Amino acid sequence: FAFGGSNTCIADAAVLPDASCTIAVDFAPNEPNPPRNLAAQAVISFAETSNQSTGTAAIALSGIEATAAMPAVGLSSTSLNFGSVNVGGSTTQPPVQLKNTGSAALSIASIGITGPNASDFAETSTCPLSSSGTLSAGASCTISVTFQPTAAGPRTAGVVISDNANPSQQTIALSGTGATATVSLTPTSLTFPTQNEGPPSAPQNVMLKNTGASPVTISSISFGGANPTDFAQTNNCPLVPSATLNAGAICTISITFQPTASGSLSAVLSVADDSMPSPQTVAVSGTGTVPIVQVAPTSLQFSSTLVGVASASQPIQVSNSGTGALVISGVSFGGADAGDFQALGSCVGAKGVNINVAVGANCTLNVEFLPLAAGTRTATLTLNDNANTNPPVTLTATATDFQMGPPPGGTTSATVAAGQTATIALQLSSMNGFTGTVTLGCTNAPPAGGCSASPTSAQISGATPVPFTVSVTTMARSSLLPVARPGVHRRMLPATPMAIILLLALAILFFVGPRSRKSRVLRPILALSLLLLASCGGGGSSTTPPSGTPAGTYTVQATATMAGATRTINLSITVQ
């Protein structure tokens, strides 16, 4: 205890009547409280003198020292052991939690790693340093440590935390062992054969073997170097975090060459892992080539051709002026009339068969025009091949045709009685400038009849229709019984009806006397019966059917033919 600076009661100073003075006292504890937090005690004593008497007075003092607010540090773990890790590899342990278990804010000055092998460990944390803030009472943060040994053998260090707690430093002990791992790549270089741009080459394999005594962790397999995008790889190697390559184990890396340009191309395959040294590399190289297609001519013009008749073929020469083999799988026709053209020749193989054209070589396409309809017909021809570009060939042709039909107001049907001739008028017309001689005819005449065209050929030229007729003949049907012809026998009646007729004749002769009146009546009946029986005799062949064209409606076909192309029209003939 001590008198305070505002104390006005001064020794040997008088206090006048009705006046007062103030005694000021400060409590400043300078040592811990006595056991069980007992109060600190003292007494102010003073003597006073008046005109009448002299005496003493006392004022008792007491106070208790208050406990100061302080931060404190709690760690979830004070040591981390990382076990055995390949030199060059790395591993982590679960983060350590740092908690402020005190009653005041924790100010962390620094977190760092010290010790014999401090460079083999690295830390990151979520803890605020004093330069950016404090960790309030009850709050927590985490400290993560990675072990990446740089040499074989035991490796130790520690995480040191400096702060305003008591004590002012906390330590997390770190330990681990560096192991030696080695791998080999076989072969260490690959050269691919010349490869056209576009499709990938056949794969070549590289063997990756763990030649050490501990597992190897492979972090990546990738390409670098001058032309990494011209090579690709697939592998069955265990990549992190799925698995490791055990000691003595082998995995395979399959590499393909897929050039995107012509010329010499190279790259480096890199395998990054925790062995020493890392990464391991394989040099890969190849030469990219490209076929270049040239066609001559680039357009074809076909002369007038009858619809349905193939024109004479016209050649197109296809040459390869590039640096790689040209592979032709076929040709494609496009455009408005693609179906009117076809191609054969040494550039076209059987279905599913490719044609290879070496550098500097050529082949031939023979293009034919086979029109499907009259008019100007156009299309484009394009090769299906492995070249980057294919110049199209323009195809142009003219198709002509002719047609048959009745003249204006005419008909394609007729009705006649059997035995009469039906004549139908028709005409030939040119389409798209057709000229030529057409052979005329007809087919499918009615039974027992015939048909014919007149004239039998016609010359078509210009726009004027050419008339012609088709005559269809029929045969009258006879109402008389057919007359037996020499050498043709009548059909024999069956045995049973013949026997009945004979018995009937005998019965009449038996029961009717030769001179009776009944016999004169019945004898003609018997004679008629015998005549019928005689008329049915013969050698068993059928009699000739009644002659003539049966009644009905028949379809007769008129035809016009030129150069193997035939046009038809149906005529309806009704016979009564």
Side-chain angles (χ1 to χ4, degrees):
F1 297 89
F3 289 108
S6 59
N7 181 25
T8 61
C9 295
I10 303 173
D12 298 328
V15 180
L16 298 176
D18 296 325
S20 64
C21 67
T22 301
I23 301 173
V25 180
D26 293 334
F27 177 48
N30 54 19
E31 60 181 356
N33 289 326
R36 287 173 289 190
N37 292 330
L38 296 177
Q41 297 181 347
V43 175
I44 299 175
S45 60
F46 57 92
E48 52 91 13
T49 300
S50 65
N51 293 332
Q52 290 79 21
S53 62
T54 299
T56 61
I59 301 174
L61 304 175
S62 66
I64 298 176
E65 179 185 10
T67 301
M70 291 289 293
V73 174
L75 295 172
S76 61
S77 177
T78 57
S79 65
L80 293 175
N81 188 336
F82 292 87
S84 180
V85 178
N86 287 337
V87 174
S90 65
T91 188
T92 59
Q93 290 281 5
V96 175
Q97 185 185 63
L98 184 154
K99 185 175 182 180
N100 182 358
T101 58
S103 56
L106 177 66
S107 177
I108 302 174
S110 64
I111 301 175
I113 295 178
T114 62
N117 309 115
S119 61
D120 288 20
F121 300 87
E123 65 79 23
T124 58
S125 77
T126 61
C127 300
L129 298 182
S130 56
S131 59
S132 59
T134 59
L135 192 67
S136 60
S140 62
C141 59
T142 58
I143 300 172
S144 299
V145 181
T146 300
F147 177 42
Q148 188 171 3
T150 59
R155 317 298 286 175
T156 59
V159 177
V160 177
I161 306 159
S162 298
D163 49 48
N164 64 338
N166 189 15
S168 60
Q169 281 191 347
Q170 297 81 34
T171 302
I172 303 172
L174 306 175
S175 63
T177 301
T180 301
T182 57
V183 297
S184 66
L185 283 173
T186 307
T188 58
S189 66
L190 290 176
T191 300
F192 286 86
T194 299
Q195 178 71 24
N196 274 345
E197 291 182 25
S201 68
Q204 296 192 43
N205 294 333
V206 172
M207 299 298 180
L208 174 64
K209 182 177 181 179
N210 182 351
T211 56
S214 59
V216 171
T217 300
I218 303 171
S219 56
S220 67
I221 300 175
S222 60
F223 285 101
N227 311 108
T229 58
D230 292 295
F231 299 86
Q233 64 84 23
T234 59
N235 66 82
N236 61 358
C237 298
L239 299 179
V240 292
S242 59
T244 57
L245 186 66
N246 294 326
I250 297 174
C251 64
T252 302
I253 304 171
S254 294
I255 302 174
T256 56
F257 177 40
Q258 190 169 7
T260 58
S262 59
S264 180
L265 303 169
S266 64
V268 176
L269 174 75
S270 295
V271 179
D273 50 43
D274 58 359
S275 68
M276 292 296 289
S278 177
Q280 298 81 39
T281 61
V282 175
V284 294
S285 62
T287 300
T289 57
V290 57
I292 298 176
V293 176
Q294 291 183 325
V295 295
T298 58
S299 64
L300 293 178
Q301 176 71 52
F302 290 86
S303 59
S304 296
T305 304
L306 181 62
V307 171
V309 177
S311 70
S313 64
Q314 296 191 44
I316 297 174
Q317 185 179 71
V318 178
S319 58
N320 178 8
S321 60
T323 57
L326 174 65
V327 180
I328 303 174
S329 59
V331 296
S332 295
F333 290 97
D337 308 303
D340 287 30
F341 299 88
Q342 59 187 13
L344 301 171
S346 59
C347 292
V348 181
K351 185 177 181 180
V353 177
N354 294 336
I355 301 298
N356 293 314
V357 182
V359 174
N362 56 66
C363 61
T364 302
L365 281 173
N366 294 317
V367 182
E368 292 181 350
F369 175 44
L370 182 61
L372 302 178
T376 300
R377 314 296 282 175
T378 59
T380 56
L381 180 151
T382 307
L383 287 173
N384 302 327
D385 54 43
N386 62 334
N388 291 335
T389 58
N390 282 287
V393 178
T394 301
L395 306 175
T396 306
T398 300
T400 62
D401 202 0
F402 60 90
Q403 63 183 0
M404 289 189 297
T411 182
T412 58
S413 62
T415 301
V416 295
Q420 294 180 342
T421 297
T423 300
I424 296 179
L426 299 173
Q427 65 181 17
L428 295 167
S429 300
S430 173
M431 298 178 65
N432 200 37
F434 170 82
T435 61
T437 301
V438 175
T439 301
L440 302 173
C442 62
T443 60
N444 299 332
C451 70
S452 62
S454 180
T456 58
S457 65
Q459 175 67 38
I460 303 175
S461 61
T464 303
V466 178
F468 72 100
T469 59
V470 173
S471 298
V472 180
T473 61
T474 63
M475 181 179 289
R477 295 182 295 274
S478 175
S479 60
L480 298 176
L481 287 174
V483 178
R485 296 191 301 270
V488 178
H489 303 283
R490 297 183 181 89
R491 184 163 54 93
M492 182 76 70
L493 280 178
T496 300
M498 185 181 295
I500 294 174
I501 293 174
L502 290 174
L503 289 174
L504 178 61
L506 292 173
I508 293 173
L509 292 175
F510 178 78
F511 289 105
V512 179
R515 296 181 177 87
S516 64
R517 186 172 55 86
K518 290 182 179 181
S519 67
R520 288 194 298 269
V521 176
L522 294 176
R523 284 181 189 277
I525 297 175
L526 178 59
L528 180 59
S529 299
L530 293 175
L531 178 61
L532 291 173
L533 182 60
S535 67
C536 292
S541 63
S542 299
T543 59
T544 302
S547 59
T549 301
T553 298
Y554 302 93
T555 300
V556 177
Q557 215 170 51
T559 62
T561 304
M562 179 182 176
T566 300
R567 308 293 181 256
T568 63
I569 186 171
N570 290 333
L571 308 177
S572 178
I573 306 299
T574 301
V575 180
Q576 296 178 340

